[in-house]
């Protein structure tokens, strides 16, 4: 299994473990409300952050 496949598998298993958890659902709802209220990151900002993290090796 490649590193990318392992990453995907872990993310999927984590999703399955959390999808029915009421606390996790409340967290997602809270985050969505904040985004709906305008607290968002633009694609340009996200790409800039991603690039900075890659430069640092993270």
């Amino acid at each position: 299994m490649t590193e990318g496949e392992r990453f995907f598998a872990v993310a999927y298993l984590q999703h399955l473990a959390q999808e029915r958890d009421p606390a996790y659902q409340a967290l997602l709802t809270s985050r969505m409300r904040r985004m709906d209220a305008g607290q968002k990151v633009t694609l340009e900002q996200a790409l800039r952050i991603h690039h900075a993290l890659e430069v640092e090796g993270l």
Side-chain angles (χ1 to χ4, degrees):
M1 187 179 275
T2 68
E3 183 178 343
E5 290 168 334
R6 285 193 304 273
F7 179 81
F8 180 82
V10 168
Y12 179 68
L13 291 173
Q14 183 177 9
H15 163 74
L16 290 179
Q18 293 177 327
E19 73 176 336
R20 297 189 195 281
D21 179 3
Y24 183 67
Q25 291 300 318
L27 174 66
L28 293 179
T29 299
S30 171
R31 289 177 177 173
M32 185 59 69
R33 286 189 179 134
R34 285 196 325 254
M35 287 189 306
D36 288 344
Q39 294 181 351
K40 301 177 185 181
V41 176
T42 66
L43 177 58
E44 181 180 303
Q45 290 169 321
L47 291 173
R48 219 174 317 134
I49 293 167
H50 176 71
H51 177 70
L53 291 171
E54 280 187 326
V55 168
E56 291 183 31
L58 301 175

